[in-house]
Amino acid sequence: MNHLAWIEISKAKIAHNIKTIREINGPNTIISPCVKANAYGHGLIETTKILIESGVEWLSVNSTEEAQRVRSAGINHPILVIGFVAEYELEKIFDLNLRLFISNINYAKKLSDLGKSRNQTANIHLKIDTGMHRHGVLLEHSSNLAKEILKLPNIKIEGLATHFANSDDPLNPAYFNRQLEKFKIAINNLKKIIGHDLIIHCHKSASVLLSRDNIGNLIRPGISVYGYYPGPDVAKLTKEKNMILQPALEFKTIVGQIKNIPENSLVGYGCTYKTTRPTTAATIPVGYYDGYDRKLSNKAYVLVNGKKAPVLGRICMNVTIIDITDCGHVKSGDEVVLIGQQQSEIITVEQLADWANTINYEIVTRLRESLPRFYI
Ligand SMILES: Cc1ncc(COP(=O)(O)O)c(C=O)c1O
């Protein structure tokens, strides 16, 4: 591999994860996987193509910019923009044939006016805020909003959606259940007001995996598509049901310079590590710029020759120093695993998240977008 650092992605594992999600939800549920944030670090376009080969019907992106990239790759699947769309971007909704969330009448009017001037109709999904208190219209204002939107000529209410705040905490289900109840009330009210069939969606990975309520006919799974669980409790309960996701991504680099340094040598910026023995140190050409979090300094290890090589001192922007004293014969150019398996050792995304005091979502989405990605 003639690269300093790269990411390998298994097509079969992504396909397996989609199959698992499909089995849980049945054949009639539309899967609209989240490919936002560079497909959770897996590479927007290539991953989207794998997902389409795996049978997903829709795509969820964060922004019109991501949608533009998907369309430019010749992909014509329905796209739902689940993030904020600014007024200056509304033309793109029509240009690119996108669906978007709406929770505000002034905004809806602008969209309709634009549609009128173009002789086009926008498909929108009403986003109900049932308790996340991020995007969306509060339940108590949702019926009025729907009635106002129905008066607008160039907008069609195609769907209803909400988003859960803590569906990844199945041991404390009260708030989730409250949100679900509110959503059910909204659906009941709005169906009567709108009067035609609607696409209804609320589930992301946690509630998809735990099948916590089969409400709706579309799901928006993100992290699970890529083989990771949204938290340890969801992981435990999902695995107990014998549904095992497969992490799709490995992050690799090569050994750079190797050098023997004496006992009691200080290593790296800030001199935060002191060797406790004569040490064979090596550099790897990966740093926090690549998404190898600086909080991993003095905590993480990588794999060299199937053995653990601890990170020594602070992670630099483009370089990390590792201890290869116990890794046997190592030469410059040898493969190093930062995430993934080497012989019998594995470093998981969750392990890195634990070391860096964050979540698996942040580890994968921060992987530098311009790193070469290989789909195997
Ligand atoms: C609106 C919306 N739906 C679905 C998802 C997917 O969540 P997950 O990755 O936990 O499946 C997200 C993730 O941030 C989201 O913001």
Side-chain angles (χ1 to χ4, degrees):
M1 194 74 72
N2 283 331
H3 293 281
L4 294 179
W6 68 97
I7 290 170
E8 291 175 10
I9 288 140
S10 160
K11 292 182 185 182
K13 287 180 177 167
I14 292 180
H16 163 88
N17 298 329
I18 291 296
K19 191 164 164 271
T20 306
I21 291 167
R22 178 77 75 197
E23 276 164 14
I24 298 170
N25 287 275
N28 298 327
T29 300
I30 298 169
I31 302 182
S32 183
C34 289
V35 293
K36 61 187 184 141
N38 200 26
Y40 285 49
H42 291 63
L44 174 61
I45 299 305
E46 288 307 317
T47 304
T48 298
K49 288 180 181 165
I50 298 168
L51 289 168
I52 289 172
E53 274 169 32
S54 309
V56 308
E57 295 88 353
W58 281 45
L59 302 163
S60 299
V61 301
N62 179 58
S63 61
T64 60
E65 185 264 326
E66 289 173 347
Q68 174 108 54
R69 286 169 56 201
V70 172
R71 288 285 184 249
S72 300
I75 293 165
N76 295 320
H77 271 47
I79 295 181
L80 176 65
V81 183
I82 62 176
F84 178 70
V85 178
E87 276 177 31
Y88 71 83
E89 300 177 282
L90 288 181
E91 292 271 7
K92 284 197 190 165
I93 299 298
F94 297 102
D95 289 344
L96 302 170
N97 187 20
L98 310 177
R99 274 90 174 158
L100 81 169
F101 284 146
I102 291 277
S103 41
N104 169 311
I105 187 61
N106 292 331
Y107 198 90
K109 279 182 181 149
K110 293 208 165 88
L111 189 65
S112 180
D113 287 347
L114 193 59
K116 207 167 171 185
S117 71
R118 301 174 56 122
N119 205 16
Q120 281 178 284
T121 297
N123 282 310
I124 63 119
H125 292 219
L126 278 188
K127 179 86 180 277
I128 319 297
D129 180 359
T130 54
M132 175 75 177
H133 297 139
R134 191 172 64 175
H135 293 136
V137 57
L138 291 173
L139 173 63
E140 48 271 40
H141 304 309
S142 58
S143 294
N144 271 345
L145 177 62
K147 285 177 193 160
E148 290 300 309
I149 291 179
L150 286 173
K151 292 180 196 157
L152 300 173
N154 289 68
I155 287 195
K156 181 184 174 205
I157 304 177
E158 183 186 43
L160 305 178
T162 195
H163 192 51
F164 297 118
N166 74 339
S167 52
D168 56 348
D169 186 7
L171 306 182
N172 297 293
Y175 200 75
F176 171 81
N177 288 334
R178 213 152 85 207
Q179 281 195 264
L180 202 59
E181 282 319 305
K182 281 192 173 184
F183 191 43
K184 284 180 182 168
I185 294 169
I187 294 168
N188 202 23
N189 295 341
L190 294 170
K191 266 186 169 171
K192 283 184 213 144
I193 293 168
I194 297 166
H196 60 75
D197 283 349
L198 292 161
I199 297 175
I200 290 174
H201 48 113
C202 55
H203 292 308
K204 55 181 176 164
S205 295
S207 45
V208 163
L209 293 174
L210 300 177
S211 343
R212 290 178 72 182
D213 194 308
N214 63 0
I215 191 169
N217 44 11
L218 179 149
I219 53 172
R220 308 184 307 261
I223 196 93
S224 54
V225 166
Y226 308 100
Y228 313 98
Y229 298 90
D233 295 328
V234 179
K236 187 165 170 284
L237 292 169
T238 310
K239 286 176 190 167
E240 276 171 15
K241 291 193 280 178
N242 235 354
M243 290 177 308
I244 313 291
L245 300 175
Q246 296 179 353
L249 171 152
E250 297 202 310
F251 181 18
K252 297 181 177 176
T253 182
I254 54 171
V255 174
Q257 186 186 339
I258 301 175
K259 173 166 55 188
N260 293 317
I261 51 177
E263 187 177 350
N264 291 326
S265 302
L266 297 168
V267 181
Y269 286 130
C271 307
T272 61
Y273 182 82
K274 188 192 260 188
T275 55
T276 55
R277 58 177 178 172
T279 298
T280 309
T283 62
I284 51 173
V286 164
Y288 55 80
Y289 170 59
D290 302 290
Y292 200 59
D293 198 303
R294 191 164 174 273
K295 291 196 271 325
L296 299 168
S297 300
N298 281 315
K299 282 190 185 153
Y301 57 79
V302 299
L303 302 176
V304 182
N305 270 341
K307 305 228 164 36
K308 295 174 183 173
V311 168
L312 301 181
R314 283 192 188 147
I315 288 160
C316 311
M317 189 184 294
N318 307 104
V319 190
T320 297
I321 305 161
I322 57 170
D323 181 350
I324 56 165
T325 314
D326 299 327
C327 296
H329 178 67
V330 180
K331 57 185 190 320
S332 181
D334 282 356
E335 189 169 293
V336 177
V337 169
L338 302 115
I339 297 173
Q341 180 159 11
Q342 201 181 50
Q343 297 174 31
S344 58
E345 290 286 346
I346 297 181
I347 300 175
T348 62
V349 171
E350 287 70 24
Q351 173 69 79
L352 255 67
D354 194 38
W355 280 323
N357 193 24
T358 183
I359 50 174
N360 46 9
Y361 293 71
E362 190 176 359
I363 297 291
V364 286
T365 56
R366 286 269 175 100
L367 291 170
R368 173 163 63 86
E369 199 157 334
S370 55
L371 281 169
R373 283 162 170 80
F374 299 96
Y375 299 85
I376 301 164

